[in-house]
Amino acid sequence: TQRSYIMLAVVFLAIIVDRPAISLRNLALAALLILILQPESAIQASFQMSFMAVMGLAAFFEYWNRPKPEQEYRIESRKVYYARKFYKIALASILTTLIAGSFSSIPAAYHFGRLAPYGVLANGLAIPVISLAVMPFAVLSVVLMPLGLEAWPLTVLGKGLEMVLSISDHVAALPGAQRVIPQVPLASAIALALGASILCLASRQAKYAGGVLLVAGLVLAQFNGFPDLLIERTAANTAFRNGSGELVFASPHKGRFAAEKWLQANGEEIPFKQAAARAGWTCEARSCRSEIKGKMIGYFLDEEGVQPACTGLDIIIAAYPLRGACRSVPTRIDRFDVWRMGSHAIVIKGGTTAVTTARGLSGNRPWVVVPEPRKKLALTR
């Protein structure tokens, strides 16, 4: 809402000073003002989606409304005239939806792993209702409020909103209306966003580079380096990818929130309970074992007063502090490790194991919370 308000304020200011209302310069001014007030908006999905969409629309309408060469005057009937006008309005509406949806889908796919292929259909049905039954009666209700006559336009407004919601529900219920895709790699998202920006902002000669970057981004999207093993931030659950690229969970109950996010990032649109029923872990009591790419994995939930069986393990994950146990295991991740570094991701390639942590990716920045041991906190007090 704040971004929309600033952008509309810039547009109306442009109208007052007799400048083009919808232009890429106005968009740049609005983005600059928002980033000065809220610099953290640059990494937020809402900022990226809204400005990518408006950038595409502004560039499109600058091209659409460009001065055209004079054409020979021709006499046409009123029916032909209105039919041509209707065709242009319908074409502009469809292209507007396609452009806004395509440009905003780049950050949406990266942040949420979802695409809405029926956006054109939903907008095509909803926009006429909004234009005829929602916005005019919203304005009329405000005008009539001082006279106490706002009830009837608000009634029409409410019916229009109910119709828009009904259209949304029906389109969302269509098969494949919400497509879940695997998480887009960062390099792919950057290439797609940069390519789209070059197409909108650069000169005609440089637009070819934007097209090349878009193609490169689509190619890079196919190489999603999803980890082989994932560990929840409290070690309450862990999962590995099987040969079919599906996630197999060690616990069918623990770490449900993280598990659902992992499934979404992996492009799986199934409930956690269904995914947790997959075979792949051999569990006894409170411990599980599995083999991934030639590496033996051991997952232990409780200490149970005895040392875990570490023999033959290459990776051990424990939801409790291992302390001095299992020092012979090459990769050890216990409760203290996830407490200090957050969730872990492990990639197994060529017999080697690479470990990535959430806090390691966050870096040493002022806003990153670093946990302090209880003993150290006691001494500072």
Side-chain angles (χ1 to χ4, degrees):
T1 303
Q2 292 173 354
R3 280 189 284 275
S4 298
Y5 174 81
I6 292 174
M7 292 178 67
L8 287 173
V10 172
V11 167
F12 283 125
L13 180 62
I15 294 174
I16 291 172
V17 298
D18 197 23
R19 300 294 297 171
I22 300 176
S23 71
L24 292 169
R25 288 188 178 88
N26 292 347
L27 178 67
L29 288 173
L32 184 62
L33 181 57
I34 291 170
L35 292 176
I36 291 173
L37 298 175
Q38 299 175 341
E40 71 277 6
S41 299
I43 60 173
Q44 294 176 353
S46 56
F47 177 90
Q48 296 170 7
M49 291 177 66
S50 60
F51 275 94
M52 285 290 292
V54 177
M55 179 184 67
L57 291 175
F60 165 71
F61 278 106
E62 282 190 356
Y63 174 80
W64 182 272
N65 295 323
R66 73 192 188 282
K68 298 178 177 62
E70 294 186 2
Q71 297 179 351
E72 183 180 352
Y73 179 77
R74 57 182 179 180
I75 300 175
E76 57 187 10
S77 66
R78 184 171 296 181
K79 291 182 179 179
V80 173
Y81 172 79
Y82 284 115
R84 185 162 52 84
K85 285 290 184 182
F86 177 79
Y87 166 75
K88 287 185 176 181
I89 293 173
L91 180 61
S93 177
I94 294 173
L95 290 176
T96 296
T97 303
L98 283 173
I99 293 168
S102 301
F103 277 70
S104 62
S105 66
I106 297 173
Y110 174 73
H111 289 284
F112 308 117
R114 290 182 180 272
L115 293 177
Y118 298 151
V120 175
L121 175 61
N123 287 338
L125 296 173
I127 286 177
V129 179
I130 294 173
S131 302
L132 299 175
V134 176
M135 297 307 297
F137 287 93
V139 175
L140 184 60
S141 65
V142 174
V143 174
L144 295 179
M145 276 182 185
L147 305 176
L149 302 175
E150 73 277 6
W152 71 269
L154 286 177
T155 301
V156 179
L157 170 65
K159 295 296 182 182
L161 292 176
E162 289 177 4
M163 191 178 297
V164 171
L165 291 175
S166 177
I167 292 171
S168 173
D169 292 339
H170 280 83
V171 174
L174 294 175
Q178 296 184 24
R179 184 181 176 186
V180 176
I181 61 172
Q183 186 176 25
V184 177
L186 178 60
S188 173
I190 292 175
L192 289 171
L194 187 58
S197 301
I198 291 175
L199 283 178
C200 293
L201 305 176
S203 60
R204 181 176 298 180
Q205 291 76 11
K207 290 185 185 295
Y208 295 106
V212 172
L213 281 173
L214 286 175
V215 174
L218 293 174
V219 173
L220 290 172
Q222 311 306 315
F223 300 94
N224 191 341
F226 202 84
D228 297 303
L229 186 65
L230 291 164
I231 304 165
E232 197 259 349
R233 65 183 184 90
T234 61
N237 205 346
T238 183
F240 71 86
R241 294 186 79 201
N242 59 19
S244 302
E246 301 171 331
L247 287 176
V248 182
F249 295 90
S251 173
H253 309 291
K254 301 283 188 177
R256 185 184 185 89
F257 178 79
E260 290 175 348
K261 294 301 179 183
W262 293 346
L263 287 169
Q264 180 179 331
N266 198 40
E268 299 187 60
E269 196 174 9
I270 62 172
F272 168 57
K273 184 177 181 180
Q274 182 178 342
R278 292 169 178 160
W281 291 93
T282 303
C283 298
E284 295 180 1
R286 303 287 285 174
S287 64
C288 299
R289 288 173 178 257
S290 186
E291 183 177 357
I292 310 169
K293 294 184 177 181
K295 299 286 185 180
M296 290 300 301
I297 315 295
Y299 174 58
F300 301 93
L301 278 172
D302 291 326
E303 191 171 3
E304 297 181 349
V306 296
Q307 293 283 354
C310 308
T311 306
L313 293 179
D314 299 297
I315 300 173
I316 183 171
I317 305 161
Y320 59 88
L322 284 172
R323 304 188 191 279
C326 299
R327 291 189 180 276
S328 60
V329 178
T331 304
R332 299 165 67 251
I333 300 170
D334 66 357
R335 183 69 181 87
F336 283 156
D337 292 315
V338 294
W339 175 74
R340 283 189 294 263
M341 303 303 294
S343 55
H344 284 53
I346 299 177
V347 176
I348 302 170
K349 188 174 182 180
T352 60
T353 302
V355 180
T356 305
T357 64
R359 194 153 291 121
L361 292 175
S362 299
N364 186 19
R365 296 179 173 87
W367 56 84
V368 176
V369 178
V370 179
E372 296 287 349
R374 292 181 182 177
K375 292 182 179 180
K376 185 175 181 181
L377 291 174
L379 291 175
T380 57
R381 290 177 183 174

